[in-house]
């Protein structure tokens, strides 16, 4: 078993990993920027190392500083959490070259799945259904017109190195293709340093369904059911639930088996998530995230499997602790991401939290690293914490969530708590009748009403 883990992250995910380490009897090392010196993960870790100033580039994204911190503290493994360096193949390679275990997949798998074109080709080879589109990168306007004509409008142009909705352009007619292609290339170059793009069929009203997998790196993999992440704003997830209210048992079993078999064939190691668009009973591969997801707690709630424990065990060379036939989905779980943002226009709201009170009771879990008197820094993402609610069924889960939201108090800054209080009372949400465009349409109507 690994002896000491350096947690190369901050906030709630750093605290989440730290708790798992303590439960496994593993020593922990927290790294932090100067602005995070008083953070909870720093307070609770066995050791801490300052790795630089507030800027992410100079601290949490500084690979050399993190490796140096490992050497200073004698850490034999690194858990990257999510975001920052969690899907950086070069970082994984550097750690391995220093004899430090990267708690995640191989650098080769990170690199393959980090390239949208290679990921799609790999998905096809492994028997995963994909969205119709270009077989590779689009070289010029002529090729773009041919591909778009073949698959039919509307189409969507995507950055090969992209993510989070950036570098995407929807094209509804042939007349708009050339301008949109140039815009997508320009945006991709500015954000990701590459102007490589590809084209796919644009689905009008799909849901976002993702399947959680774990592999041992030696040809065995299991799935832990799906999560529905369709409530999004600008391609950023806001509300996630498991299981999806849109799937029946047959479709759930089918896609789970496809994904588990594909992961086994790939020889995948550790936790990962394969994401799909789902429309009219069909699944279409989007991408694979080669890391722990923000929304992993809803899967833990319905399966009882600690995903971070499994990550650490597998990285230590152990086998999966559970087989597919022992995975059962019990009840229903929903996660709400509580951000330090205006609930209507989503402008960031950093500042001092003067009072912080979290809900409690049966089926309530809070993943957060803030406290009364904590100051939300302006340098990082605005996540305050995650409210995860579990019930015996979706109705009980929704009622419990309504109660929990009413108990949740964050004073001193604006938060997105009011947004969830609106959502929990909405008929479409109660009925599970929504898609990836629903939330933005809802927010547009709210803004019009306010005007």
């Amino acid at each position: 078993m690994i002896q000491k883990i350096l947690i190369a992250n901050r906030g709630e995910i750093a605290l989440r990993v730290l708790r798992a380490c303590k439960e496994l009897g593993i020593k922990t090392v927290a790294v932090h920027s100067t602005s995070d010196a008083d953070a909870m993960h720093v307070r609770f870790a066995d050791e801490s190392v300052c790795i630089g100033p507030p800027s992410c580039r100079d601290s949490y994204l500084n690979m050399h500083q993190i490796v140096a911190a490992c050497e200073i503290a004698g850490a034999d493994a690194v858990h990257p959490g999510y975001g920052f360096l969690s899907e950086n193949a070069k970082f994984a390679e550097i750690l391995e070259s220093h004899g430090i275990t990267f708690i995640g997949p191989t650098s080769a798998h990170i690199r393959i799945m980090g390239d949208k074109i290679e990921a799609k080709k790999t998905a096809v080879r492994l028997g995963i259904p994909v969205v119709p589109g270009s077989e590779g990168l689009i070289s010029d306007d002529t090729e773009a017109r041919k591909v778009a004509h073949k698959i039919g409008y509307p189409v969507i142009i995507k950055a090969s190195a992209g993510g989070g909705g950036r570098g995407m352009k929807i094209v509804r007619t042939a007349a708009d293709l050339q301008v949109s292609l140039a815009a997508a290339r320009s945006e991709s170059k500015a954000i990701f340093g590459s102007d490589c793009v590809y084209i796919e069929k644009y689905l009008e009203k799909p849901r976002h369904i993702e399947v959680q997998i774990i592999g041992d790196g030696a040809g065995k993999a299991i799935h832990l059911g799906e999560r529905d992440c369709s409530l999004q704003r600008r391609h950023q997830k806001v509300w996630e639930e498991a299981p999806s209210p849109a799937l029946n048992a047959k479709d759930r079993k089918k896609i789970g088996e496809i994904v588990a078999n594909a992961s086994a064939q790939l020889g995948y190691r550790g936790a990962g998530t394969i994401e799909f668009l789902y429309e009219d009973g069909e699944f279409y591969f989007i991408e694979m995230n080669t890391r722990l997801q923000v929304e992993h707690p809803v899967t833990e709630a319905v399966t009882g499997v600690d995903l971070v424990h499994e990550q650490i065990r597998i990285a230590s060379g152990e086998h999966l602790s559970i087989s597919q036939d022992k995975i059962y989905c019990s009840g229903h779980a929903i996660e709400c991401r509580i951000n330090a943002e205006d609930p209507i226009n989503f402008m960031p709201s950093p500042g001092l939290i003067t009072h912080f009170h979290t809900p409690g009771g049966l089926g309530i879990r809070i993943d957060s690293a803030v406290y009364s008197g904590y100051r939300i820094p302006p340098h990082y993402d605005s996540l305050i914490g995650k409210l995860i609610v579990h019930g015996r069924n979706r109705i009980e889960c929704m009622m419990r969530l309504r109660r929990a939201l009413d108990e949740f108090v964050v004073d001193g800054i604006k938060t997105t708590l009011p947004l969830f209080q609106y959502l929990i009372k909405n008929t479409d949400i109660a009925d599970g009748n929504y898609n990836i465009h629903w939330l933005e349409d809802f927010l547009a109507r709210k803004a019009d009403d306010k005007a």
Side-chain angles (χ1 to χ4, degrees):
M1 176 66 77
I2 291 166
Q3 299 300 308
K4 184 184 286 189
I5 293 176
L6 182 143
I7 304 167
N9 218 298
R10 64 177 301 279
E12 67 87 14
I13 188 57
L15 194 56
R16 164 73 183 93
V17 173
L18 187 149
R19 288 167 173 158
C21 291
K22 286 184 177 291
E23 291 170 6
L24 292 170
I26 299 172
K27 294 292 185 180
T28 56
V29 181
V31 293
H32 64 91
S33 68
T34 52
S35 67
D36 276 340
D38 293 327
M40 291 292 281
H41 73 287
V42 177
R43 295 184 181 189
F44 290 158
D46 296 300
E47 302 172 54
S48 64
V49 179
C50 181
I51 54 172
S55 166
C56 295
R57 182 178 60 185
D58 297 325
S59 53
Y60 298 106
L61 290 174
N62 190 324
M63 291 183 265
H64 298 297
Q65 284 287 79
I66 292 172
V67 172
C70 286
E71 294 176 343
I72 290 168
D76 55 343
V78 168
H79 195 301
Y82 56 71
F84 292 134
L85 296 170
S86 62
E87 293 180 287
N88 189 303
K90 182 180 178 181
F91 180 56
E93 289 173 345
I94 289 173
L95 290 176
E96 295 293 349
S97 71
H98 283 76
I100 301 166
T101 299
F102 178 75
I103 301 177
T106 65
S107 58
H109 287 157
I110 295 173
R111 188 169 282 109
I112 289 169
M113 292 303 172
D115 183 303
K116 298 298 188 292
I117 295 297
E118 286 303 313
K120 188 173 181 180
K121 288 179 180 178
T122 302
V124 171
R125 178 172 59 82
L126 295 173
I128 299 173
V130 300
V131 181
S134 56
E135 294 182 2
L137 299 175
I138 296 298
S139 59
D140 53 36
D141 292 356
T142 300
E143 184 182 5
R145 284 194 294 271
K146 288 179 180 178
V147 171
H149 177 74
K150 180 179 178 181
I151 63 179
Y153 290 92
V155 299
I156 184 167
I157 304 168
K158 293 183 177 181
S160 177
R166 294 173 294 180
M168 291 185 181
K169 298 295 176 185
I170 299 168
V171 186
R172 296 192 175 278
T173 68
D176 299 327
L177 183 61
Q178 185 175 3
V179 172
S180 297
L181 185 63
R185 287 189 187 281
S186 176
E187 185 175 321
S188 178
K189 181 69 174 179
I191 297 173
F192 305 112
S194 168
D195 65 356
C196 296
V197 297
Y198 61 103
I199 293 178
E200 288 182 342
K201 177 69 178 174
Y202 179 69
L203 303 177
E204 292 285 359
K205 294 184 178 180
R207 295 181 82 107
H208 183 124
I209 305 292
E210 60 187 32
V211 182
Q212 177 71 57
I213 63 97
I214 304 175
D216 66 0
K220 292 184 179 179
I222 61 173
H223 73 87
L224 291 91
E226 87 286 352
R227 298 184 287 259
D228 195 317
C229 307
S230 302
L231 285 174
Q232 305 176 7
R233 174 184 173 270
R234 295 183 179 176
H235 302 280
Q236 298 294 319
K237 301 166 188 173
V238 172
W239 159 311
E240 303 98 355
E241 55 184 304
S244 169
L247 297 193
N248 56 40
K250 181 180 178 181
D251 285 346
R252 179 170 293 117
K253 183 174 185 293
K254 175 184 175 183
I255 197 61
E257 289 177 350
I258 288 173
V259 164
N261 290 336
S263 301
Q265 289 181 58
L266 192 62
Y268 189 81
R269 183 186 73 196
T273 303
I274 298 184
E275 304 195 350
F276 297 90
L277 293 178
Y278 175 76
E279 188 173 76
D280 298 329
E282 298 292 334
F283 292 91
Y284 302 100
F285 173 82
I286 310 172
E287 64 182 351
M288 182 176 189
N289 287 308
T290 53
R291 55 171 168 78
L292 198 66
Q293 295 277 87
V294 178
E295 59 273 19
H296 76 275
V298 292
T299 295
E300 294 182 327
V302 297
T303 64
V305 177
D306 189 309
L307 292 170
V308 181
H309 280 196
E310 291 299 316
Q311 284 186 300
I312 295 171
R313 288 192 181 103
I314 291 165
S316 297
E318 297 183 13
H319 296 298
L320 288 168
S321 69
I322 190 167
S323 58
Q324 190 67 66
D325 61 348
K326 300 299 182 183
I327 300 292
Y328 300 101
C329 181
S330 175
H332 199 92
I334 297 173
E335 174 182 291
C336 297
R337 301 190 190 190
I338 314 300
N339 291 338
E341 297 172 345
D342 185 285
I344 301 300
N345 61 27
F346 292 87
M347 289 293 292
S349 178
L352 181 68
I353 295 178
T354 56
H355 185 62
F356 185 72
H357 174 78
T358 59
L362 183 65
I364 304 296
R365 169 178 167 179
I366 306 293
D367 279 18
S368 177
V370 309
Y371 50 86
S372 295
Y374 178 80
R375 185 175 294 277
I376 301 289
H379 315 290
Y380 315 111
D381 70 73
S382 59
L383 183 66
I384 294 173
K386 304 178 307 197
L387 168 61
I388 305 100
V389 177
H390 182 250
R392 289 172 295 182
N393 51 54
R394 191 169 187 268
I395 294 174
E396 181 177 84
C397 185
M398 292 282 285
M399 294 303 294
R400 188 165 285 165
L401 176 58
R402 181 187 293 236
R403 186 264 298 171
L405 288 166
D406 288 342
E407 290 182 17
F408 212 136
V409 178
V410 185
D411 288 337
I413 60 172
K414 292 181 179 180
T415 77
T416 52
L417 277 168
L419 169 64
F420 295 108
Q421 290 172 324
Y422 285 131
L423 294 179
I424 198 69
K425 299 172 185 177
N426 185 276
T427 303
D428 284 343
I429 301 301
D431 293 340
N433 182 28
Y434 55 85
N435 56 56
I436 64 170
H437 307 300
W438 188 95
L439 182 57
E440 289 194 335
D441 292 342
F442 172 82
L443 292 171
R445 291 194 300 271
K446 294 291 294 182
D448 290 341
D449 292 343
K450 191 173 182 179

